[in-house]
Amino acid sequence: MSRYTIKDIAKICGVGTSTVSRAINNDPGVNEKTKERVLEAVRKYHYIPNNSAVNLKKSESNNVAVLVKGRNNPFFQSMYSVFETELQKHEYTFTMREVGAYEDEMRIAQELIREKRLKGIIFLGGMVGDVDEKLEHIDIPSVLCTVAVTMESCNHSLVAIDDVKESEKVVNYLIRQGHKKIAMITGVRSDSGIGALRLKGYEKALDENGIEFDENLIINMDDDIPDYSYENGYVVTKKLLESGHKFSALFAASDTTAFGAYRAILESGKRIPEDISVVGFDGIDMANFMYPSLTTIKQPGERMAKEAVRLLHDEIEGNSVVSKTIFSADLLENESVKNI
Amino acid sequence: MSRYTIKDIAKICGVGTSTVSRAINNDPGVNEKTKERVLEAVRKYHYIPNNSAVNLKKSESNNVAVLVKGRNNPFFQSMYSVFETELQKHEYTFTMREVGAYEDEMRIAQELIREKRLKGIIFLGGMVGDVDEKLEHIDIPSVLCTVAVTMESCNHSLVAIDDVKESEKVVNYLIRQGHKKIAMITGVRSDSGIGALRLKGYEKALDENGIEFDENLIINMDDDIPDYSYENGYVVTKKLLESGHKFSALFAASDTTAFGAYRAILESGKRIPEDISVVGFDGIDMANFMYPSLTTIKQPGERMAKEAVRLLHDEIEGNSVVSKTIFSADLLENESVKNI
DNA sequence: GTGAAAGCGCTAACAT
DNA sequence: ATGTTAGCGCTTTCAC
């Protein structure tokens, strides 16, 4: 079965290629009848344009790409449909591209920019380190979304929450509920992203309340297991419980980690929240269906995605160049914390 | 900041474009020195080839695409890295493309075939209805993976499990444990995919054991909520509990649904498995960290992905045309079932 | 070992 | 309203 090109269709219909092109792309100045004839041939022979040729030819497009690092992050899942809807509202077509842990997101971004003649790009997740340097060669409007950078360290458009502040918030909440011995599961030892920021918030909260920092209650995720996984939360919590160090509350750096922690705690015969209170971070769907439901910090994923599109659009339209939006996240008070 | 093309680099280096092309693509017949010179310019000016042009020009590639319907299905998550590794082993480069619920997967497949000059394509998930008709215009080797088709109804390469048989297996297990009043959460009313197949297995198991089918114990997922979501499992289980119909065991059509069901059951004051036994289907990671851990049917995701690649490779190499592999899934006996 | 040139399939002037 | 044609940026003969 052979593949038809625009030339074939033109020949079949006895018209020029440009007429076929116009008919396909709904160009106004085409006779209704010829148009119908062309479209019928298109259907009949299952002609599908070659996007490589289209992209190559067009000097510009309305494509916007969303580049995701850590596609399986459940927190991102609430954002995908929002990106899609919002970009469509602004008449952009969009491409979602996942970048693997091993891949160079900047390289991929560059390839995409050329290949699809992107108008703009949104980076979702990832992107630690010197952001400005990394983005140096991205010569189209771009917005960072949900990346672990601090305001100051970055000279690009940005949508995020203040991980330090929010983590401080939830730990303060625990303290208000009477907890003093608060354990924390933070990122792997080498982590410099959200794990580190959330740990910083934890430390600040303790400090403000005159509670002494106890290294024994800080536990890093296991390097040999995917970080922020259920299993990691389970394994390290189990280790913590076995260590014998006492604590009345546990702050997990993510809801998924908290889920693993639940299992470890319950398995050890302890109850949540009667014996140990637990809080998470992210506010993913799962938190509400855990039993007891998980008290956590809920990031406003939908609003963040929407704002990222808005900033990108502004930048594309030239209305502004660099602007940052830091959202405040809400404490979602569920059942996993006991007032002692 | 301007974008460099191969011509620019050629000019800068004082060579022809073909030399640049050869240098970039590691063509053997290039003088080491010129090659070095070219690559340095490439680095210096951040030249990145335009993939559209590359794809357009090349008459064939080693690209294989994996087209996923329902990317967020957690069961698929264990498969992605396997596809990647296995395809790489066979020297294929691979593209993962998600197709939205609203999108026409066949259209996208066709576009991809032309755009990337695909050698083969794997369809992961989706694909209900008349598969043969849908695939009629896919003129490259293709393999269906984890789709809800029955062996007979499809004349294409296929990797799957037998949903009916496996569901029968888990229900039989419940019956062996002494359960007679077994409720089931199945797909939405209009579902003709896995929900329907798994329901059929349930019916068969009951039938074989002379247990009367009780319509009151079958509950469809709610149309107004994403199917197979936690929430759907929660909502319908709650409804079932409130209906007052008695049952000692609950079979949820997926692990995620079972997770929602857990919450509904526990919230109602009942215990798992003492009061109600629960089983799921899929065998995703989560099942092992639920409390109690969920007894379920574990689909061999990794092996299925591997086999899909093998079949595709065979087909590409012309060793075979159509072959089907039906894997058997294992009953994962965890803690959520009580012997009564 | 290297360059010139043809052409992949399409769109968009520019003609007519 | 429609056809002709020049490239988009690259790879790949084919000469040298």
Side-chain angles (χ1 to χ4, degrees):
Chain A
M1 188 224 242
S2 64
R3 233 102 88 188
Y4 292 89
T5 70
I6 199 170
K7 265 190 180 169
D8 300 323
I9 301 297
K11 203 170 292 167
I12 287 165
C13 298
V15 299
T17 59
S18 44
T19 302
V20 177
S21 176
R22 287 181 192 113
I24 290 169
N25 297 300
N26 267 312
D27 222 294
V30 191
N31 183 297
E32 264 309 316
K33 280 201 168 153
T34 15
K35 185 171 169 180
E36 214 25 79
R37 200 150 44 88
V38 169
L39 292 183
E40 199 178 309
V42 165
R43 247 173 279 131
K44 182 170 172 194
Y45 297 98
H46 295 92
Y47 166 68
I48 307 233
N50 182 320
N51 284 329
S52 285
V54 175
N55 290 329
L56 182 58
K57 179 62 199 177
K58 286 193 164 159
S59 54
E60 66 166 4
S61 75
N62 278 310
N63 288 138
V64 163
V66 176
L67 219 63
V68 196
K69 192 115 188 183
R71 173 69 167 77
N72 289 337
N73 185 336
F75 168 61
F76 292 160
Q77 293 192 5
S78 59
M79 304 175 86
Y80 299 129
S81 62
V82 181
F83 279 126
E84 189 171 357
T85 325
E86 291 300 310
L87 286 168
Q88 261 162 14
K89 264 187 214 164
H90 293 291
E91 314 237 286
Y92 297 120
T93 54
F94 104 124
T95 308
M96 167 98 86
R97 174 70 152 81
E98 182 180 0
V99 11
Y102 43 89
E103 287 178 308
D104 176 359
E105 55 199 320
M106 285 308 131
R107 168 81 192 194
I108 292 181
Q110 305 265 30
E111 288 185 12
L112 235 39
I113 290 172
R114 287 164 174 73
E115 182 177 338
K116 312 250 191 209
R117 316 257 189 214
L118 298 185
K119 266 255 176 56
I121 187 166
I122 293 173
F123 292 93
L124 182 62
M127 193 76 75
V128 287
D130 189 338
V131 175
D132 288 341
E133 188 189 315
K134 283 188 181 170
L135 288 174
E136 193 187 339
H137 298 289
I138 302 293
D139 52 349
I140 59 169
S142 64
V143 173
L144 305 177
C145 187
T146 324
V147 297
V149 291
T150 44
M151 280 278 272
E152 309 73 40
S153 73
C154 158
N155 195 28
H156 280 83
S157 290
L158 175 71
V159 175
I161 58 157
D162 184 333
D163 281 281
V164 177
K165 204 181 81 187
E166 301 305 337
S167 135
E168 201 182 328
K169 188 189 284 179
V170 69
V171 176
N172 264 320
Y173 170 74
L174 285 174
I175 294 172
R176 281 204 309 281
Q177 300 301 311
H179 295 276
K180 289 195 159 52
K181 290 278 182 199
I182 303 171
M184 174 173 184
I185 303 176
T186 180
V188 293
R189 202 163 297 278
S190 62
D191 175 79
S192 58
I194 53 172
L197 296 176
R198 293 175 189 175
L199 176 60
K200 196 188 250 180
Y202 165 93
E203 290 173 355
K204 280 183 81 172
L206 257 53
D207 196 45
E208 288 158 19
N209 289 277
I211 296 176
E212 203 180 343
F213 178 82
D214 180 355
E215 206 183 327
N216 293 317
L217 295 182
I218 301 300
I219 180 156
N220 286 291
M221 292 182 200
D222 191 322
D223 288 296
D224 302 327
I225 306 173
D227 56 349
Y228 298 97
S229 63
Y230 305 144
E231 189 186 358
N232 218 320
Y234 172 74
V235 167
V236 301
T237 304
K238 193 166 174 178
K239 198 159 39 169
L240 178 64
L241 288 166
E242 286 167 355
S243 77
H245 297 293
K246 296 297 172 209
F247 57 98
S248 66
L250 172 64
F251 170 32
S254 79
D255 292 347
T256 50
T257 323
F259 180 66
Y262 261 46
R263 164 99 202 164
I265 292 169
L266 297 170
E267 210 178 64
S268 79
K270 294 204 162 51
R271 293 160 305 165
I272 302 170
E274 292 79 1
D275 301 317
I276 296 181
S277 293
V278 180
V279 297
F281 200 112
D282 280 345
I284 60 176
D285 196 32
M286 173 184 239
N288 294 315
F289 295 98
M290 288 167 64
Y291 190 80
S293 58
L294 181 68
T295 291
T296 187
I297 289 287
K298 183 165 176 56
Q299 299 196 53
E302 287 86 352
R303 283 164 58 216
M304 292 169 80
K306 206 163 173 171
E307 176 70 4
V309 172
R310 199 183 67 79
L311 293 188
L312 187 69
H313 180 67
D314 275 4
E315 219 174 297
I316 291 173
E317 298 301 315
N319 298 336
S320 69
V321 186
V322 171
S323 54
K324 301 185 168 69
T325 307
I326 303 297
F327 279 92
S328 157
D330 290 327
L331 177 71
L332 181 61
E333 281 189 61
N334 272 329
E335 312 159 342
S336 62
V337 174
K338 185 187 168 197
N339 187 316
I340 58 176
Chain B
M1 188 227 237
S2 63
R3 232 101 87 189
Y4 292 90
T5 71
I6 199 171
K7 264 190 180 169
D8 300 323
I9 301 298
K11 203 171 290 167
I12 288 165
C13 298
V15 300
T17 59
S18 42
T19 302
V20 177
S21 175
R22 288 183 190 112
I24 290 169
N25 297 300
N26 267 312
D27 223 295
V30 191
N31 183 299
E32 264 309 316
K33 281 203 167 150
T34 14
K35 184 170 170 179
E36 216 22 82
R37 201 149 43 89
V38 169
L39 292 181
E40 200 177 311
V42 165
R43 246 172 281 130
K44 182 169 172 194
Y45 296 98
H46 294 92
Y47 166 68
I48 307 232
N50 183 321
N51 284 328
S52 285
V54 174
N55 290 329
L56 183 58
K57 180 64 199 178
K58 285 194 166 159
S59 53
E60 67 167 3
S61 75
N62 278 311
N63 288 138
V64 163
V66 177
L67 219 64
V68 196
K69 191 117 188 179
R71 173 68 166 78
N72 288 336
N73 185 334
F75 167 61
F76 292 161
Q77 293 191 6
S78 59
M79 305 175 87
Y80 299 128
S81 62
V82 181
F83 280 125
E84 189 170 358
T85 326
E86 290 301 310
L87 286 169
Q88 260 162 15
K89 263 187 212 162
H90 293 290
E91 314 235 287
Y92 297 120
T93 53
F94 105 124
T95 308
M96 168 97 87
R97 174 70 153 80
E98 180 179 2
V99 11
Y102 44 88
E103 288 179 307
D104 176 359
E105 56 198 321
M106 285 309 130
R107 169 79 191 194
I108 293 182
Q110 305 265 30
E111 287 184 12
L112 235 38
I113 291 171
R114 287 166 174 71
E115 181 178 339
K116 311 249 189 212
R117 316 255 188 214
L118 297 185
K119 267 254 176 56
I121 187 165
I122 293 173
F123 292 93
L124 183 62
M127 193 75 73
V128 286
D130 188 339
V131 175
D132 288 340
E133 188 189 314
K134 283 189 182 168
L135 288 174
E136 195 188 338
H137 298 289
I138 301 293
D139 53 348
I140 59 168
S142 64
V143 173
L144 304 178
C145 187
T146 324
V147 296
V149 290
T150 45
M151 279 279 272
E152 309 74 39
S153 74
C154 158
N155 195 26
H156 279 84
S157 290
L158 175 70
V159 175
I161 58 157
D162 184 334
D163 281 280
V164 178
K165 203 181 81 189
E166 301 305 337
S167 134
E168 202 182 327
K169 188 190 283 178
V170 70
V171 176
N172 264 320
Y173 170 75
L174 285 174
I175 294 172
R176 280 203 310 280
Q177 301 300 312
H179 296 276
K180 288 195 160 51
K181 291 277 183 199
I182 303 172
M184 174 172 184
I185 303 176
T186 180
V188 294
R189 202 164 296 278
S190 62
D191 176 78
S192 58
I194 53 173
L197 296 175
R198 292 176 191 176
L199 175 60
K200 196 188 249 177
Y202 165 93
E203 290 174 354
K204 280 183 80 171
L206 256 54
D207 197 47
E208 288 158 19
N209 291 277
I211 297 176
E212 205 181 342
F213 178 82
D214 180 356
E215 205 182 327
N216 293 316
L217 295 182
I218 301 300
I219 181 158
N220 286 99
M221 292 183 200
D222 191 323
D223 287 296
D224 301 328
I225 306 172
D227 55 349
Y228 299 96
S229 63
Y230 306 144
E231 190 186 358
N232 218 319
Y234 171 75
V235 167
V236 300
T237 303
K238 193 166 174 180
K239 200 159 38 171
L240 178 64
L241 289 166
E242 286 167 356
S243 76
H245 298 293
K246 295 297 169 209
F247 57 97
S248 66
L250 172 64
F251 170 31
S254 79
D255 291 348
T256 50
T257 323
F259 181 66
Y262 261 45
R263 165 96 203 167
I265 293 169
L266 297 170
E267 209 178 65
S268 79
K270 295 203 161 52
R271 292 158 305 164
I272 303 171
E274 292 79 3
D275 301 317
I276 296 180
S277 293
V278 180
V279 297
F281 200 111
D282 280 346
I284 60 175
D285 196 32
M286 172 184 239
N288 294 315
F289 295 98
M290 287 165 65
Y291 190 80
S293 57
L294 181 68
T295 291
T296 186
I297 290 287
K298 183 166 174 55
Q299 299 196 54
E302 287 87 351
R303 283 164 57 218
M304 293 169 78
K306 206 164 173 171
E307 177 70 3
V309 172
R310 198 184 67 78
L311 293 188
L312 187 70
H313 180 67
D314 275 4
E315 220 176 296
I316 292 172
E317 298 301 316
N319 298 335
S320 70
V321 185
V322 171
S323 53
K324 301 186 168 67
T325 307
I326 303 297
F327 279 92
S328 157
D330 290 326
L331 176 71
L332 182 60
E333 281 189 62
N334 271 330
E335 311 158 344
S336 62
V337 174
K338 185 187 167 197
N339 188 315
I340 58 176

